[in-house]
């Protein structure tokens, strides 16, 4: 059986906010500071975040909080 490759999941800003528990302004502040992964441009007025990058950021925060 051939292995299936799963397409990357892209999250829009409301989904990112819900997942990480931060507001839109907090997320953009962290991006400017280099502390949150930037979004990927989907078009002139559309941005999304690869779920794997957001999940990696969450995992890093959890690991850092555990010492």
């Amino acid at each position: 059986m051939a292995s299936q490759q799963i397409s990357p999941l892209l999250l829009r800003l409301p989904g990112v906010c819900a997942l990480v528990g931060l507001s839109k302004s907090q997320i953009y502040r962290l991006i400017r500071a280099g502390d949150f992964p930037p979004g990927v441009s989907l078009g002139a007025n559309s941005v999304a975040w690869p779920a794997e990058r957001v999940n990696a950021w969450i995992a890093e925060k959890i690991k850092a909080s555990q010492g």
Side-chain angles (χ1 to χ4, degrees), residues 54-67:
V54 176
N55 289 328
W57 182 86
I58 293 169
E60 180 182 307
K61 291 295 177 188
I62 292 170
K63 184 177 177 182
S65 73
Q66 294 173 344

Side-chain angles (χ1 to χ4, degrees), residues 18-45:
L19 196 59
V20 300
L22 298 173
S23 70
K24 172 183 168 181
S25 59
Q26 289 172 310
I27 289 172
Y28 281 114
R29 193 174 303 120
L30 289 172
I31 291 170
R32 282 192 302 275
D35 294 329
F36 194 83
V40 174
S41 177
L42 301 178
N45 298 313

Side-chain angles (χ1 to χ4, degrees), residues 8-23:
L9 177 65
L10 294 174
L11 302 170
R12 299 300 301 266
L13 187 57
V16 174
C17 291
L19 196 59
V20 300
L22 298 173
S23 70

